[in-house]
Amino acid sequence: MRAYLGCCLVAACSLFLTACGGGGGDNQPAAEGDAVPVSTKFTITVDTPPDLITASRSGGFGLIRTAYADAQTNLAQANFAAVWLDKKGKILEQIEITDVKNQGDGIYDITLGSRTRINAVLLIDLSNSPDIAIAPGEPIPDHVYMAPLTEERLTVSLKSTLAYHALVERVIQDESWGIFEGLYDEPIRSRVFFFQEDLDRIADDLETTLLPQVGLQGMKLSDLLSLSIVKTMTQGRMERFVTEQAAAQANIQAILNDGYWTVGTFNDNSGSGILTEQMVYNADNTSVGETAIHEFRWDKNGAADIALTEVFTYLSGSTEFTNNDITRQVLTAQGWVGLFDYLKVELATDKTMLLTDAALTREDKAGITMDAKVYQLAGKKMHDFLSSEDNYHITRYIKPDETFSEGAFGFYFTWRPESETYLLCDNRNGNTDCQVAPFGLPNSPYTELNGVLTAPADAAISIDGINGFAIADNVVVELLNDNSFTARYWVNIAANTWNIQENGFWAPTTVAGKSIIRFDVPNVIQQLADHYRFSHENLFLVEDRNFVHIGETLLENQPFHYSGFDNNAKQQIFASASRDNLPPFGVCDFGNGLGANPDLYLNTVTECGGDERFTQQTLNNLMDQHLVQITEDGEISTTILRSNNSWEYYVHGLRQGGSRSWSLTEQGYLKLTPNTATPDEFEYWALTSVDYSRKLLAVKAYGAQPEADLIFTLISKEYSPGQLAACATQDSGWDSATTTPVTKKTLTQYQDQTALCKQIWEQRNPRFTQALLIGQSGDTSDDRALRFIGDSSRFLKLSDNFQGDFFLGNYVDSDGCGFNFPIRWKLEEDGTLYYEAVDGSMNERIAMTDTDGLGFAIKAFNHQARWQNDPDLQYAATDGEMWSDLVTLVDAGTVPNVVPITEPVNPPAEPPADGEPQGPVAGTVLNDGQTCGFTQSQ
């Protein structure tokens, strides 16, 4: 399909196992027979994660940290064991290790009694007290690293362990080596080599798709192998491999005439979604035939379910491209030619097709031949066949046990370059993506090929000052200008210790008038590499546009593979894919607790994650919003992100100090630093799920703190500024003329309506707490007051001075004649604030119904003694006024010290004129905001 020259389709496994034979024979019988005495020296590099614990089942273990280089370079013979496996994947017997020599730099020469075989396995226990129990008839212990002894030079690593573990688990399941049965019985050396190539590809796939989703620090190897995601993805990848290997030869022209599909996904800080493409070739459509590619896309946006939209159609006979569409370049007789990454069919038969990029013609001799195999998918799990780097994200939308139904087929495509092909990135317009620079001077790229070569006398004795360039995060290549054309590969496999792990060769040549240096990366180096930057092992250097650039060489007839689906399989996949299949929104407490580390945090995020993550657009949408959290004990905190990468933090509505910053990490974590002066103390937030209808965000959080790091879960509700509103339903109303409620309400009615007004989400109940109302108990300096928004002159001033069963306080109003009378207050069990005037003239209940973190919506019930004492009103002790408002919290010390204006000693003698209000005298608490009828001068 498209992008074949962009190298993004090389993912699956070789067909050599079933297609190739011959080669150097190795007639050692299968392990069940009497073994012919042999002795083979294997050179092993041990490359294990720096933070993964290896532990035997008995419990003894050692923790391998970044200082683990000491342990790696000082392994003893007791750390190694070797076994043969029987035809059912269980241990047959132990292989004797006769010698272990430490060559330094983490390399060991191990001599043992077996030749290269797919069922001869090296086991390594890296713990301080190794315990490799060999039990014939039992599976390989799950606490050891392993790799099959298929080559004399190999690497034992986590990904080799995962790949071989997946294979052996499949053999145990099937009680047979299946497609490898013949190779098990007759280990022809060339076919054993191809077996290892396929296993390496599986290992690379698992490294790309699985390991980024799991953390290792603080985990045992056996625990890692028991994780559900590890089991699912290793078993699924092996199922796809076995099925593809057993596929039947297909009619390639018929497949392309019907059209076939590939499925892809994307998930990064710029967004996420699903891609799918159909490629069709109809030789009957025109006299020459036309190739068509239809691209469809779904961008995850809000709560919308999966719905594909066609975004682009390529027609080989009519589509035109511009230079903006070029992504790669290929070297032809005309020099570098830009590629558009869209294929066109030049020639088609039942068995094979010849294709070129849309930018090329057959005369450029840069085409590919393609054939296909086909297999039935009916009854097979969809997850297993969506297990590549390009598409595994789609599996979150498909039920784990969802299977294909009848009529669904998969394709296994193999393509081969017609001739040797040289690929380079698009280096026009100053693009530096493939420029090569000295390892220690990344901003000073080489300008000529000779500058890359090093005289033997100047060969590096350490990584410092080396004249070499990086091809991975931990691999530097040094090319010596000696008679042997030596390439030295320096690798950092632990801590910060760089050593030469392998020697290879380079060669000067000329292609299409261009001077080129070619070199092939040894397999052991690829297995040791972290983030290897290429898809192939055949690389070249070339001068172009005044700098040295690095590219990839595709060898003539070298096979590459990718998978596809027929129309029915594609329809079934997208009929099954839905966001309804995601876990329901809610709290996921997996992994919560102290003693955390970033790797364990990654595991909790993976386990609890849905289809959400923080992206740049997500954060743009959250700018200036109130993100409110309520804990089980009622603490209300609020985070507000600002566009200048600062953030504000409020606890119980009061802003907390500090110079705060936020950023978005490559993993999609929101990093919140409370104090920029102490950057090592921070929080990560990972967005795991969203309830769009309720504006709720489920977040898995990680707190890096001096005492012990912590993983915890929080649910946050998003409020827009000004969104908070009082719930005024069933309010009594107020008659200012009579200073009585318009409608009398009962306490029961109030309690019922308050329950209806309460905005409780995910068991987060907004309520008053003692910490919210008075701060730290016993500290009067942080006492607080409620300020009523509906009548901003009023304050309910609270203190933590205690008397009897109540705290003390004052009700203050600076409007009208003002009032300032003492109250006593307490919290009821449901978080309702109850207070009463000390003189018994009134009492009131205030319940919080909602909060945006800065303000609080309240529902209140007021009872005044005068209403109960008035025979005309007939108020009972449980009757009164129901009302609503918004309040904020302020420092109690900021409440004005109101001195009420009292009635003059000698009031006017004239009674009120007829028709004038007969209400309470102006200047009392009952005038409720009326203009004061008295003045100080009176």
Side-chain angles (χ1 to χ4, degrees):
M1 200 162 173
R2 84 175 181 93
Y4 78 99
L5 290 177
C7 308
C8 68
L9 299 176
V10 183
C13 304
S14 163
L15 286 174
F16 290 156
L17 288 172
T18 55
C20 298
D26 183 345
N27 295 318
Q28 183 186 3
E32 276 83 347
D34 294 331
V36 177
V38 294
S39 183
T40 305
K41 184 177 76 172
F42 295 88
T43 300
I44 313 293
T45 296
V46 183
D47 176 33
T48 56
D51 299 312
L52 188 62
I53 298 172
T54 58
S56 65
R57 288 172 180 162
S58 63
F61 66 89
L63 183 59
I64 310 166
R65 300 189 183 276
T66 51
Y68 128 89
D70 292 338
Q72 184 199 37
T73 57
N74 290 284
L75 297 179
Q77 186 161 334
N79 294 102
F80 298 92
V83 297
W84 282 306
L85 301 183
D86 62 22
K87 287 199 170 185
K88 295 183 179 181
K90 304 291 183 65
I91 293 175
L92 178 68
E93 61 180 278
Q94 187 165 0
I95 302 173
E96 182 183 7
I97 296 177
T98 57
D99 189 31
V100 174
K101 290 184 179 178
N102 188 343
Q103 299 296 331
D105 302 338
I107 302 174
Y108 299 84
D109 286 340
I110 300 177
T111 304
L112 51 80
S114 176
R115 295 196 178 106
T116 55
R117 298 185 59 94
I118 67 171
N119 65 318
V121 194
L122 182 69
L123 312 177
I124 303 179
D125 182 345
L126 293 173
S127 60
N128 295 330
S129 301
D131 178 16
I132 308 176
I134 306 301
E138 293 295 321
I140 295 175
D142 61 4
H143 71 282
V144 294
Y145 291 95
M146 68 183 93
L149 294 165
T150 52
E151 300 177 280
E152 282 86 358
R153 180 70 174 99
L154 56 90
T155 296
V156 178
S157 62
L158 177 58
K159 64 180 180 180
S160 77
T161 299
L162 292 174
Y164 197 72
H165 175 80
L167 174 63
V168 172
E169 287 291 301
R170 180 59 183 251
V171 174
I172 292 174
Q173 171 189 312
D174 296 344
E175 296 189 330
S176 167
W177 286 78
I179 58 174
F180 307 120
E181 196 77 39
L183 190 55
Y184 178 97
D185 292 331
E186 188 178 358
I188 298 172
R189 187 176 181 85
S190 61
R191 294 179 64 198
V192 170
F193 170 78
F194 293 135
F195 165 88
Q196 185 60 50
E197 278 199 334
D198 286 332
L199 201 64
D200 287 344
R201 291 189 180 100
I202 294 173
D204 290 341
D205 251 9
L206 294 174
E207 181 182 43
T208 302
T209 62
L210 172 60
L211 294 184
Q213 300 186 78
V214 296
L216 307 176
Q217 186 178 354
M219 291 193 69
K220 298 178 183 178
L221 180 59
S222 57
D223 292 336
L224 179 70
L225 293 174
S226 69
L227 288 178
S228 59
I229 187 173
V230 174
K231 289 182 176 180
T232 298
M233 295 190 71
T234 54
Q235 292 170 2
R237 182 63 184 85
M238 188 55 60
E239 169 65 20
R240 179 163 70 90
F241 170 71
V242 170
T243 301
E244 289 171 345
Q245 293 294 303
Q249 194 68 40
N251 184 321
I252 183 67
Q253 187 173 18
I255 290 174
L256 268 75
N257 283 342
D258 286 341
Y260 73 91
W261 297 82
T262 59
V263 177
T265 54
F266 58 97
N267 189 40
D268 54 39
N269 285 348
S270 63
S272 60
I274 296 172
L275 305 168
T276 186
E277 294 179 351
Q278 183 192 41
M279 182 173 180
V280 180
Y281 174 71
N282 188 344
D284 299 326
N285 186 42
T286 67
S287 58
V288 295
E290 184 169 56
T291 308
I293 295 176
H294 306 282
E295 293 189 356
F296 297 81
R297 180 181 178 120
W298 171 70
D299 290 286
K300 187 187 74 60
N301 184 17
D305 205 5
I306 298 170
L308 295 174
T309 301
E310 187 166 2
V311 294
F312 182 76
T313 297
Y314 159 67
L315 300 173
S316 60
S318 59
T319 302
E320 295 183 359
F321 295 93
T322 69
N323 286 338
N324 293 332
D325 299 302
I326 294 174
T327 58
R328 298 285 289 260
Q329 297 179 104
V330 62
L331 186 58
T332 70
Q334 292 75 42
W336 293 108
V337 175
L339 298 179
F340 299 135
D341 285 353
Y342 285 90
L343 296 177
K344 57 184 178 183
V345 177
E346 297 285 356
L347 178 68
T349 68
D350 290 349
K351 292 185 177 180
T352 188
M353 280 198 172
L354 175 65
L355 306 97
T356 61
D357 185 84
L360 304 176
T361 65
R362 290 194 64 181
E363 288 70 29
D364 291 314
K365 299 186 182 302
I368 61 169
T369 58
M370 184 169 76
D371 58 38
K373 288 194 172 184
V374 60
Y375 48 87
Q376 286 194 10
L377 286 169
K380 295 184 179 295
K381 291 183 179 180
M382 290 184 182
H383 277 216
D384 295 346
F385 293 85
L386 295 166
S387 58
S388 73
E389 176 184 1
D390 294 326
N391 61 25
Y392 73 94
H393 285 295
I394 196 176
T395 57
R396 70 187 64 191
Y397 303 108
I398 298 174
K399 294 178 180 178
D401 56 354
E402 190 75 46
T403 60
F404 290 99
S405 56
E406 291 298 325
F409 288 86
F411 304 121
Y412 186 58
F413 297 102
T414 300
W415 61 265
R416 299 171 177 85
E418 273 195 298
S419 60
E420 202 165 67
T421 305
Y422 294 82
L423 296 176
L424 197 64
C425 75
D426 179 16
N427 63 358
R428 301 167 306 142
N429 302 318
N431 182 19
T432 62
D433 288 350
C434 51
Q435 287 182 6
V436 179
F439 176 65
L441 300 168
N443 297 318
S444 301
Y446 296 108
T447 57
E448 56 181 17
L449 282 178
N450 286 337
V452 180
L453 304 178
T454 300
D458 297 326
I461 59 174
S462 72
I463 196 66
D464 297 327
I466 188 174
N467 181 35
F469 53 92
I471 59 171
D473 289 355
N474 65 328
V475 177
V476 172
V477 183
E478 182 186 26
L479 304 180
L480 300 185
N481 195 11
D482 57 9
N483 293 330
S484 300
F485 299 97
T486 303
R488 304 203 299 179
Y489 292 87
W490 294 72
V491 181
N492 177 14
I493 61 173
N496 194 31
T497 304
W498 291 81
N499 299 295
I500 300 170
Q501 287 288 320
E502 193 75 355
N503 288 324
F505 304 97
W506 62 273
T509 188
T510 300
V511 179
K514 297 278 188 181
S515 295
I516 284 177
I517 290 177
R518 291 184 49 171
F519 60 101
D520 297 339
V521 180
N523 180 60
V524 67
I525 297 300
Q526 292 184 67
Q527 295 306 305
L528 289 169
D530 291 335
H531 301 108
Y532 182 65
R533 298 173 185 173
F534 310 95
S535 298
H536 310 90
E537 68 276 8
N538 316 109
L539 306 180
F540 70 89
L541 302 174
V542 63
E543 288 180 31
D544 191 61
R545 301 181 189 273
N546 302 316
F547 292 101
V548 176
H549 294 77
I550 190 167
E552 302 179 72
T553 307
L554 307 185
L555 300 184
E556 181 179 0
N557 289 323
Q558 182 176 353
F560 303 101
H561 311 280
Y562 66 96
S563 302
F565 299 100
D566 75 342
N567 295 317
N568 290 332
K570 178 263 182 184
Q571 294 295 338
Q572 291 176 23
I573 289 171
F574 285 96
S576 301
S578 171
R579 296 183 74 181
D580 291 340
N581 295 325
L582 296 171
F585 183 89
V587 173
C588 175
D589 289 328
F590 178 85
N592 287 0
L594 287 168
N597 60 59
D599 278 19
L600 294 178
Y601 176 57
L602 173 60
N603 288 342
T604 67
V605 173
T606 301
E607 186 74 19
C608 295
D611 66 340
E612 304 289 348
R613 67 175 284 169
F614 283 115
T615 66
Q616 196 57 59
Q617 185 58 50
T618 305
L619 295 179
N620 289 344
N621 295 338
L622 290 177
M623 286 303 108
D624 303 322
Q625 303 296 295
H626 299 194
L627 304 179
V628 181
Q629 299 97 47
I630 303 177
T631 65
E632 290 183 0
D633 61 3
E635 180 182 274
I636 300 169
S637 59
T638 307
T639 299
I640 302 179
L641 305 177
R642 300 302 186 188
S643 58
N644 63 355
N645 290 93
S646 68
W647 58 287
E648 298 165 10
Y649 186 58
Y650 298 79
V651 177
H652 296 317
L654 300 180
R655 184 171 177 176
Q656 309 299 296
S659 173
R660 303 172 183 273
S661 67
W662 68 265
S663 61
L664 179 62
T665 73
E666 291 182 0
Q667 299 85 1
Y669 301 156
L670 172 61
K671 183 178 181 180
L672 299 169
T673 304
N675 186 349
T676 54
T678 54
D680 292 337
E681 297 177 30
F682 59 86
E683 282 187 10
Y684 284 141
W685 284 14
L687 187 61
T688 56
S689 188
V690 175
D691 185 325
Y692 288 92
S693 62
R694 295 187 291 167
K695 286 198 166 185
L696 297 181
L697 284 65
V699 171
K700 205 70 179 177
Y702 175 83
Q705 46 197 17
E707 305 82 23
D709 292 355
L710 172 70
I711 295 174
F712 56 99
T713 303
L714 59 89
I715 302 292
S716 184
K717 187 170 183 179
E718 178 187 350
Y719 288 81
S720 298
Q723 173 187 335
L724 185 66
C727 178
T729 308
Q730 294 294 313
D731 279 2
S732 298
W734 185 257
D735 187 339
S736 298
T738 62
T739 62
T740 58
V742 173
T743 304
K744 178 173 60 176
K745 298 291 183 179
T746 67
L747 180 59
T748 299
Q749 288 175 314
Y750 162 73
Q751 292 168 337
D752 291 343
Q753 187 56 50
T754 299
L756 293 174
C757 286
K758 275 268 190 180
Q759 297 299 305
I760 300 175
W761 35 275
E762 297 298 317
Q763 291 76 55
R764 270 66 176 171
N765 180 11
R767 65 191 188 276
F768 288 112
T769 64
Q770 186 169 307
L772 181 148
L773 294 174
I774 60 173
Q776 184 69 33
S777 180
D779 182 0
T780 58
S781 66
D782 64 352
D783 289 351
R784 295 166 186 170
L786 300 184
R787 181 172 182 262
F788 298 92
I789 301 302
D791 186 351
S792 58
S793 65
R794 291 200 177 194
F795 301 85
L796 193 64
K797 184 178 180 181
L798 308 173
S799 80
D800 57 0
N801 291 324
F802 200 71
Q803 188 178 85
D805 295 329
F806 291 88
F807 293 98
L808 303 181
N810 283 78
Y811 192 10
V812 180
D813 187 2
S814 60
D815 200 8
C817 292
F819 57 74
N820 188 344
F821 60 87
I823 63 165
R824 48 193 177 197
W825 65 274
K826 65 179 180 179
L827 278 177
E828 298 182 337
E829 289 186 5
D830 64 355
T832 296
L833 169 61
Y834 170 82
Y835 70 94
E836 59 186 33
V838 172
D839 63 8
S841 60
M842 58 89 72
N843 63 70
E844 191 158 61
R845 288 173 170 82
I846 299 178
M848 189 190 305
T849 59
D850 197 7
T851 176
D852 68 356
L854 276 64
F856 309 90
I858 61 170
K859 198 76 173 174
F861 183 77
N862 179 266
H863 174 82
Q864 296 191 17
R866 68 184 183 88
W867 299 336
Q868 186 176 349
N869 297 332
D870 189 328
D872 295 329
L873 293 177
Q874 297 184 353
Y875 273 57
T878 55
D879 293 337
E881 174 202 5
M882 188 190 307
W883 60 280
S884 306
D885 200 355
L886 300 179
V887 300
T888 58
L889 281 174
V890 298
D891 187 339
T894 65
V895 175
N897 185 23
V898 173
V899 178
I901 302 173
T902 58
E903 183 179 0
V905 176
N906 297 309
E910 298 83 2
D914 292 341
E916 290 185 4
Q918 304 295 314
V921 176
T924 73
V925 69
L926 304 179
N927 73 354
D928 207 55
Q930 292 181 13
T931 303
C932 184
F934 314 119
T935 64
Q936 294 289 358
S937 61
Q938 290 178 302

